[in-house]
Amino acid sequence: MSSSYRARISLFMWVIFGHGRKRFCVRDWGMLFDRAAIEGLAAGRVTVAFRRWDAPRVRPGSRMRTAAGVVEVTSVAEVATVTDEDARAAGYESAAQMPDRGSGRLYRIGLRVAGPDPRIALRETADLTDDDRAAIGAALWRMDRVAEVPWTGAFLRLIADNEAVRAVELAERVGLARDVFKRRVRRLKELGLTESLEVGYRLSPRGRAFLEGGDA
């Protein structure tokens, strides 16, 4: 049985039963960046970050998706102090201006932007082939299959009808805690179906094309 044929069967099962899951992942190793750091990374001004951990949570070659693109870890080293030069490379005027990172060993993490977030190109792809629709449908079917109640189609329609509405309000409408709701929307974002806005969400061109094709 060909992979294309299997995908088409999965889409048929999703349409009948309303189920699915698929991830387009660049591995996220657990570093978070604030807006200033994101802007600095995108502009090339920020090339290091400092974290206090009991043990390193990233390693050279680790990659994380951010608003600046895919950020790659180039080095990880335990250090005793932060120099003013490194503080400037981290986006601060001096070491004295850097916030207290809490307890644990201090690590200097070298960073670089390795390329654009692949989800951006994916979400702009609105000319869906039958195989594209089959793959998306199979992914959504797998997400729904492991949930107590199928949710993916309802979430896509909810976001389509409520663009730029706060996540907490949308979560209330479906009877979920905000964090649970946001985790589910992130899974749709992995498929290139949704976009995060300054407030709330909207369907991406890919998501609209899939929904308007009667597939959700």
Side-chain angles (χ1 to χ4, degrees):
M1 183 186 293
S2 70
S3 60
S4 174
Y5 183 69
R6 285 196 299 271
R8 290 170 191 271
I9 289 178
S10 295
L11 174 60
F12 174 77
M13 294 174 67
W14 179 80
V15 170
I16 297 298
F17 299 108
H19 294 294
R21 179 179 63 190
K22 182 167 184 167
R23 296 183 68 83
F24 293 81
C25 284
V26 177
R27 190 80 178 270
D28 181 346
W29 291 84
M31 287 184 68
L32 299 176
F33 302 96
D34 61 22
R35 180 174 296 180
I38 290 294
E39 292 174 353
L41 284 163
R45 298 188 306 271
V46 170
T47 56
V48 302
F50 290 87
R51 297 291 188 274
R52 285 194 179 275
W53 294 322
D54 293 333
R57 298 181 187 176
V58 296
R59 61 189 179 204
S62 299
R63 291 189 167 197
M64 299 156 283
R65 282 175 310 212
T66 74
V70 177
V71 173
E72 181 178 6
V73 174
T74 58
S75 63
V76 180
E78 187 176 349
V79 296
T81 60
V82 178
T83 66
D84 284 340
E85 181 180 1
D86 274 345
R88 287 190 289 272
Y92 300 90
E93 291 186 8
S94 67
Q97 284 198 338
M98 293 187 66
D100 182 7
R101 294 290 182 183
S103 61
R105 298 173 178 175
L106 181 63
Y107 291 93
R108 180 190 187 277
I109 302 106
L111 303 167
R112 75 177 186 95
V113 176
D117 185 335
R119 294 173 300 183
I120 295 175
L122 181 66
R123 73 192 188 198
E124 295 301 321
T125 306
D127 187 14
L128 301 180
T129 66
D130 288 345
D131 284 349
D132 290 333
R133 294 185 181 279
I136 295 169
L140 298 177
W141 172 69
R142 288 193 297 271
M143 285 185 193
D144 283 339
R145 184 180 61 183
V146 298
E148 291 184 6
V149 177
W151 58 272
T152 58
F155 270 47
L156 289 173
R157 290 187 289 272
L158 178 68
I159 292 170
D161 294 339
N162 296 276
E163 186 173 308
V165 174
R166 292 189 310 151
V168 66
E169 295 180 29
L170 296 180
E172 289 174 356
R173 296 186 192 186
V174 294
L176 292 174
R178 185 195 65 171
D179 289 347
V180 174
F181 177 83
K182 292 180 74 171
R183 281 197 297 272
R184 288 188 171 186
V185 175
R186 281 197 294 270
R187 296 176 70 184
L188 299 177
K189 188 176 180 180
E190 296 289 346
L191 296 173
L193 301 178
T194 65
E195 301 178 41
S196 295
L197 304 175
E198 193 71 27
V199 175
Y201 312 95
R202 69 183 174 198
L203 291 188
S204 66
R206 184 180 183 86
R208 288 195 299 272
F210 183 75
L211 193 62
E212 290 169 1
D215 296 306

